[in-house]
Amino acid sequence: MKRKSLHASPCAIARTLDCIGDWWTLLILRDAFKGIGRFNAIQKSLGIPRNILTARLRMLVDRGILAVGPATDGSVYQEYVMTERGQDLVPVLLALRDWGERHACTLDDAAVPDAAVPVATVRSATVRGATVRGATVRGATVRGATVRGATVTGATVAGAAVTAP
């Protein structure tokens, strides 16, 4: 069954789903955010068929969400890395993780912390008048302009409440 294209929809959510609405695509983006960038490493991490992975990676590169670059270890391999457009999807991934931890876990699953996205680096964000730049946030839940249970380093936060754990 061929999927209906939503790229021309007047709805921004529908257009976004046209770009990233496939579950394999979201898991590939999760791995890219975690720093898993080599084709074989992504394939091994997800157990995704190679032909599907090839198609999803090509689509993500074509749409400017991922880019292909040299391997960070200096080897002859190449890696897929998130572009700025891809980094803009990190809050979506974090929101999906948070929702899943609250609503899609069994009691046994909830006892195991999700190591999928343990650390988020915020390059620049504005949250209701608060500007955060160059911050590393660990174990934080952000609601409005309040950050709870977070360690924030190298950041300027104005007009927001930050409370320690």
Side-chain angles (χ1 to χ4, degrees):
M1 181 174 163
K2 186 163 171 91
R3 199 173 77 140
K4 177 183 175 184
S5 176
L6 301 171
H7 77 277
S9 172
C11 175
I13 294 172
R15 290 190 312 271
T16 302
L17 289 172
D18 195 60
C19 290
I20 61 160
D22 172 275
W23 64 289
W24 282 125
T25 303
L26 291 168
L27 292 172
I28 291 166
L29 290 172
R30 180 205 62 190
D31 278 6
F33 179 66
K34 289 171 36 180
I36 301 172
R38 289 191 184 170
F39 184 95
N40 287 337
I42 297 168
Q43 199 272 327
K44 182 179 178 184
S45 169
L46 300 178
I48 183 174
R50 295 177 74 82
N51 63 325
I52 293 173
L53 179 57
T54 298
R56 296 307 185 279
L57 289 170
R58 184 177 300 125
M59 180 267 302
L60 289 166
V61 169
D62 289 347
R63 293 181 178 169
I65 296 169
L66 293 180
V68 180
T72 54
D73 64 3
S75 67
V76 298
Y77 294 103
Q78 293 186 318
E79 292 180 345
Y80 292 89
V81 295
M82 289 184 130
T83 62
E84 186 173 338
R85 183 179 278 188
Q87 287 288 332
D88 286 347
L89 288 168
V90 169
V92 174
L93 296 172
L94 295 173
L96 284 169
R97 184 203 58 193
D98 289 347
W99 188 92
E101 287 176 349
R102 277 192 220 113
H103 304 293
C105 293
T106 65
L107 291 178
D108 291 336
D109 293 339
V112 179
D114 181 8
V117 188
V119 177
T121 300
V122 179
R123 288 190 326 246
S124 178
T126 302
V127 181
R128 293 190 188 177
T131 301
V132 179
R133 287 190 179 84
T136 301
V137 181
R138 290 180 172 82
T141 302
V142 178
R143 290 195 174 44
T146 302
V147 180
R148 289 190 179 86
T151 301
V152 180
T153 58
T156 301
V157 179
V162 179
T163 56

